[in-house]
Amino acid sequence: MKPINLKKLAQELNLSVATVSRALNDRYDISQPTKDRVRALANKLNYEPNPYASSLRRQKSKTIGVVIPEVANHFFSLAINGIEEVARGNNYHVLIYLTHEDYQRELAMARLLASGRVDGVLLSVASESEDFGHLEFLRERGIPIVFFDRVYDEMPTAKVTTDDFESGYKATEHLLEAGCRHIAHLTVSQNLSIGRGRKEGYIQALADHNIVFDESLVLVSAQETKAQEIARIQQLLATRPEVDGIFASVESQATNSYEACRNLGRSIPGDIKIIGFSNLEIASLLQPALTTITQPAYSIGKEAAKILFQAISKNRVISPAQSLVLKSELVVRASTLGS
Amino acid sequence: MKPINLKKLAQELNLSVATVSRALNDRYDISQPTKDRVRALANKLNYEPNPYASSLRRQKSKTIGVVIPEVANHFFSLAINGIEEVARGNNYHVLIYLTHEDYQRELAMARLLASGRVDGVLLSVASESEDFGHLEFLRERGIPIVFFDRVYDEMPTAKVTTDDFESGYKATEHLLEAGCRHIAHLTVSQNLSIGRGRKEGYIQALADHNIVFDESLVLVSAQETKAQEIARIQQLLATRPEVDGIFASVESQATNSYEACRNLGRSIPGDIKIIGFSNLEIASLLQPALTTITQPAYSIGKEAAKILFQAISKNRVISPAQSLVLKSELVVRASTLGS
DNA sequence: CTGAAAGCGCTAACAA
DNA sequence: TTGTTAGCGCTTTCAG
């Protein structure tokens, strides 16, 4: 019932606490017989060292924090998978924090993490965040940060992202080649690097195909309910009947577009072609199968974590030069079938 | 750069460390002016208390552990959402551990959690687990556990589940009423309560409709790759051409069945009707729309966490009587359209 | 090779 | 109302 500690082991073995500690940590200056004796008893009694005592003493928490907007989302849950994998490999623990895209929460979490609770942070910024003082603060406190996917560009640390501009370009070009001439762009907050990058790719592709960019065809997600988001898409489609293509910058907007089209009786890909950033495993089972730009979410999490652990273990500051840009993949399916 | 601690605050204010600590904890025996002075400086210097020192002293970690099979799964990510919500409301932190359905990992994690790292655990057991000594061990160490969805029945603690038997019954009955006579049941390890419960519901429904239960129509998932799972389903369908309905006990098996049917050229719901346990938001966008049994995943997480925090805050042992059985919902869509 | 002692940062008795 | 002291469980000098 009561947790067992070094003192108890030491008493039982007629050794000092220090020796027991060293034996369990496999220090060179302890004799093999003693180590064996200590380990045997520790095993027998199922001794588990108190992590907080150890953290306090060593000034190392063996824990990282992961701050993400949400978890009920394929991209982030795959990323967590990658992160957890690396963390476990390093005998680290993972604290998870969800901002729900709320700047205030992100700020509060950053403060909490500045206390020594974690040895490092992996973060994907909330769409509401415009000020980043809280993240600077974390850094000033000596907590290494690696950003993934949604980054705060100005901070001189590593960022693991995907080729947003190129992907936005490719997606748009794909629609153009499929015959679209009036492409709506559903995007996220332009505070976010991913939102900006993808949109710029979209604009550039239009320009390269001599299509005038029309700002009124850009719909920025407003963090509303699903029903509201769908309603906004329907409104856009209703007022702009010439729209023949939709480029959705995030997964939910692609599926919301499906619903909007269905509600309006527009056929996909006949009337409107749709492409979306998505990590949905079952994109191919949709009606019709959804053409996607798929990000290597698992790898993003994994690589970001690797960079962080390198910094933690070597006790070195992270350089922006360690940043990684992974490639997203265009997977063509029925929703953009050429006319 | 260097973390600031109570000592530094105390020096700066010409107070004792104890007084500063009490002021920050808003103790009644500190004068208002002192409290104000202390808080002002703490704010100015962005003081954050060292959580591990505090944990060590108070023997409370303000942290819970969540152990689940995987996160890239709608059910679990929604549950985490609910858990995180409640944890944040209680000013608690959430450590996350993924077993990947591996018993060895679950065992290792249980050991780690027995060290005082967490004040309580929320757990959904791995399908491989047959022995539960590691969980008993946790409990013996005084760590309260609440199970959710996949429970270890024998342990006298609270469990938050859904009405698996009834849902399995309803799902099967729905297929029978749609005209199916040869219903395959794709399920998970029968070590799992959810696997057993749903299957028993299936068997009972068959019996009540005078259909002989045929064990060879039951396919137990073997934790393989997606391609392998699909292949196994195809094999079943090929060798048993009379199968006209599939009841999938977990989400992945439903979508895998779609792929299997597509590969074999079987039409849904014409040749084969499919119903599946699923928390897919976009079940209605599938081709054809998937009839589902949908579990209240978010609520499950939330309620399980609530029970845990009640126990933690009142320092009371959790009683099995606090268990909750939530209702799943049958949502009829095109994949089971009557013939 | 092992032990004694100090101390990580905080909180809680006990004094004053 | 505040200070002094001890100690949570562990690691790490420093001695021997």
Side-chain angles (χ1 to χ4, degrees):
Chain A
M1 188 68 204
K2 282 186 69 180
I4 124 142
N5 55 27
L6 283 187
K7 203 159 124 197
K8 236 170 278 179
L9 291 182
Q11 280 171 353
E12 200 108 346
L13 293 162
N14 277 318
L15 286 171
S16 74
V17 174
T19 303
V20 176
S21 168
R22 279 182 288 220
L24 290 172
N25 288 315
D26 202 16
R27 291 294 240 282
Y28 70 96
D29 55 0
I30 298 292
S31 73
Q32 197 55 49
T34 307
K35 281 186 186 171
D36 292 343
R37 269 192 345 123
V38 171
R39 296 232 189 89
L41 185 66
N43 265 327
K44 186 177 147 225
L45 300 184
N46 286 311
Y47 168 73
E48 286 294 329
N50 182 312
Y52 297 137
S54 172
S55 292
L56 183 57
R57 183 60 235 246
R58 297 210 226 220
Q59 303 287 44
K60 252 200 182 260
S61 65
K62 285 270 172 190
T63 304
I64 60 167
V66 176
V67 182
I68 54 175
E70 45 170 345
V71 67
N73 166 306
H74 269 80
F75 176 80
F76 287 114
S77 54
L78 284 171
I80 289 179
N81 230 319
I83 292 167
E84 207 263 355
E85 193 73 16
V86 177
R88 225 176 34 83
N90 286 273
N91 287 314
Y92 260 68
H93 300 255
V94 179
L95 281 170
I96 200 154
Y97 299 90
L98 307 179
T99 61
H100 296 281
E101 306 283 13
D102 182 346
Y103 165 69
Q104 290 300 332
R105 291 201 198 186
E106 191 175 276
L107 189 147
M109 288 159 182
R111 292 197 61 90
L112 284 176
L113 292 174
S115 59
R117 188 181 289 279
V118 296
D119 297 339
V121 170
L122 293 170
L123 191 143
S124 202
V125 310
S127 63
E128 274 190 15
S129 302
E130 302 191 32
D131 178 87
F132 294 97
H134 57 303
L135 302 181
E136 300 284 9
F137 171 63
L138 253 183
R139 195 172 163 75
E140 279 159 24
R141 280 287 208 266
I143 317 275
I145 308 180
V146 175
F147 290 98
F148 66 100
D149 199 46
R150 299 160 163 219
V151 311
Y152 163 40
D153 266 323
E154 275 68 42
M155 187 176 286
T157 185
K159 293 130 200 164
V160 178
T161 53
T162 50
D163 51 344
D164 289 306
F165 178 87
E166 288 77 6
S167 304
Y169 190 97
K170 263 196 296 186
T172 310
E173 190 170 51
H174 176 68
L175 287 176
L176 290 167
E177 284 169 356
C180 299
R181 284 299 165 268
H182 304 278
I183 301 173
H185 180 48
L186 310 187
T187 182
V188 290
S189 168
Q190 294 297 299
N191 297 330
L192 296 178
S193 47
I194 57 166
R196 287 196 305 275
R198 292 168 194 180
K199 182 177 164 192
E200 280 161 20
Y202 159 76
I203 294 176
Q204 187 62 49
L206 293 180
D208 289 354
H209 288 74
N210 300 311
I211 304 228
V212 193
F213 166 60
D214 179 352
E215 184 76 51
S216 66
L217 287 180
V218 174
L219 193 64
V220 178
S221 165
Q223 282 310 120
E224 301 168 314
T225 66
K226 186 175 167 176
Q228 286 171 311
E229 296 276 7
I230 293 172
R232 293 184 65 211
I233 298 171
Q234 284 182 213
Q235 197 189 350
L236 174 67
L237 295 182
T239 55
R240 304 297 296 268
E242 74 274 24
V243 168
D244 53 8
I246 295 179
F247 167 22
S249 201
V250 297
E251 190 167 289
S252 63
Q253 288 166 323
T255 49
N256 285 345
S257 296
Y258 268 54
E259 306 229 23
C261 285
R262 178 199 287 175
N263 293 343
L264 293 174
R266 306 285 177 89
S267 86
I268 311 171
D271 300 332
I272 296 183
K273 304 188 201 310
I274 299 183
I275 185 171
F277 271 77
S278 167
N279 281 88
L280 265 183
E281 272 186 358
I282 54 164
S284 70
L285 294 180
L286 294 185
Q287 159 76 308
L290 173 64
T291 293
T292 59
I293 297 279
T294 298
Q295 297 176 273
Y298 177 82
S299 299
I300 291 176
K302 197 158 180 170
E303 296 301 327
K306 275 195 203 163
I307 295 171
L308 183 62
F309 280 111
Q310 223 176 310
I312 290 175
S313 63
K314 298 211 167 59
N315 206 20
R316 260 199 352 208
V317 70
I318 301 174
S319 139
Q322 294 177 262
S323 294
L324 245 38
V325 178
L326 306 183
K327 284 220 172 313
S328 292
E329 191 188 359
L330 168 65
V331 183
V332 179
R333 298 199 187 84
S335 68
T336 54
L337 226 55
S339 39
Chain B
M1 189 65 202
K2 283 187 65 179
I4 122 139
N5 55 24
L6 283 186
K7 203 158 125 197
K8 236 172 277 180
L9 290 181
Q11 280 170 352
E12 199 108 347
L13 292 162
N14 276 319
L15 287 170
S16 75
V17 173
T19 304
V20 177
S21 168
R22 280 181 288 217
L24 290 172
N25 288 316
D26 203 17
R27 291 296 239 283
Y28 68 98
D29 56 358
I30 298 292
S31 75
Q32 196 56 49
T34 307
K35 281 185 186 171
D36 292 343
R37 265 188 353 119
V38 171
R39 295 231 188 89
L41 185 66
N43 265 324
K44 186 177 147 225
L45 300 185
N46 286 311
Y47 169 73
E48 287 294 329
N50 182 312
Y52 298 136
S54 174
S55 292
L56 182 58
R57 184 61 237 246
R58 297 210 224 222
Q59 303 286 40
K60 262 215 171 242
S61 66
K62 286 271 173 187
T63 304
I64 60 167
V66 176
V67 182
I68 54 176
E70 44 169 347
V71 68
N73 166 306
H74 269 81
F75 176 81
F76 288 114
S77 55
L78 284 170
I80 290 179
N81 229 319
I83 292 167
E84 206 264 355
E85 193 73 17
V86 177
R88 226 176 33 83
N90 285 274
N91 287 314
Y92 260 68
H93 299 256
V94 179
L95 281 170
I96 199 153
Y97 299 89
L98 308 179
T99 61
H100 295 281
E101 306 283 13
D102 181 347
Y103 165 70
Q104 290 300 332
R105 292 202 197 187
E106 192 176 275
L107 188 148
M109 288 159 182
R111 292 196 60 91
L112 284 176
L113 291 174
S115 59
R117 188 180 290 277
V118 296
D119 297 339
V121 169
L122 293 170
L123 190 143
S124 203
V125 310
S127 62
E128 275 190 15
S129 303
E130 300 192 32
D131 178 87
F132 295 98
H134 57 302
L135 303 181
E136 300 284 8
F137 171 63
L138 253 183
R139 196 175 162 73
E140 279 159 21
R141 280 288 208 266
I143 317 275
I145 308 181
V146 175
F147 290 98
F148 66 102
D149 199 47
R150 298 160 164 219
V151 311
Y152 163 42
D153 267 322
E154 274 68 43
M155 187 177 287
T157 184
K159 293 131 200 162
V160 178
T161 53
T162 51
D163 52 343
D164 290 305
F165 178 87
E166 289 78 4
S167 304
Y169 189 98
K170 262 197 296 186
T172 310
E173 189 169 52
H174 175 68
L175 287 175
L176 291 167
E177 285 169 355
C180 300
R181 285 299 166 266
H182 304 276
I183 302 174
H185 181 46
L186 310 188
T187 184
V188 291
S189 168
Q190 294 297 299
N191 297 330
L192 296 177
S193 48
I194 58 167
R196 287 196 306 275
R198 293 168 193 179
K199 181 176 166 192
E200 280 161 17
Y202 159 77
I203 294 176
Q204 186 63 49
L206 292 180
D208 289 355
H209 287 75
N210 300 312
I211 304 230
V212 194
F213 165 60
D214 178 352
E215 185 75 52
S216 67
L217 285 180
V218 174
L219 192 65
V220 178
S221 165
Q223 284 308 124
E224 302 168 314
T225 66
K226 188 175 164 175
Q228 287 171 311
E229 296 276 8
I230 293 173
R232 293 184 66 211
I233 298 171
Q234 284 182 214
Q235 194 189 351
L236 175 68
L237 295 182
T239 54
R240 304 297 297 266
E242 73 273 25
V243 168
D244 53 8
I246 295 179
F247 168 20
S249 202
V250 296
E251 193 167 285
S252 61
Q253 288 167 322
T255 49
N256 285 345
S257 296
Y258 269 54
E259 305 228 25
C261 285
R262 179 199 287 174
N263 293 343
L264 293 175
R266 307 285 177 90
S267 87
I268 312 170
D271 300 331
I272 296 184
K273 303 186 204 310
I274 299 183
I275 185 170
F277 271 77
S278 167
N279 281 87
L280 264 182
E281 272 185 359
I282 53 163
S284 71
L285 295 180
L286 294 186
Q287 159 77 309
L290 173 65
T291 294
T292 59
I293 298 280
T294 299
Q295 296 177 273
Y298 177 82
S299 299
I300 291 176
K302 198 160 180 167
E303 296 302 327
K306 275 195 201 163
I307 295 171
L308 184 62
F309 280 112
Q310 223 175 311
I312 290 175
S313 64
K314 298 210 167 57
N315 206 19
R316 260 195 353 205
V317 70
I318 301 173
S319 138
Q322 294 177 265
S323 293
L324 244 39
V325 179
L326 306 182
K327 282 218 173 315
S328 293
E329 193 189 357
L330 168 66
V331 184
V332 179
R333 300 200 185 85
S335 68
T336 54
L337 226 55
S339 39

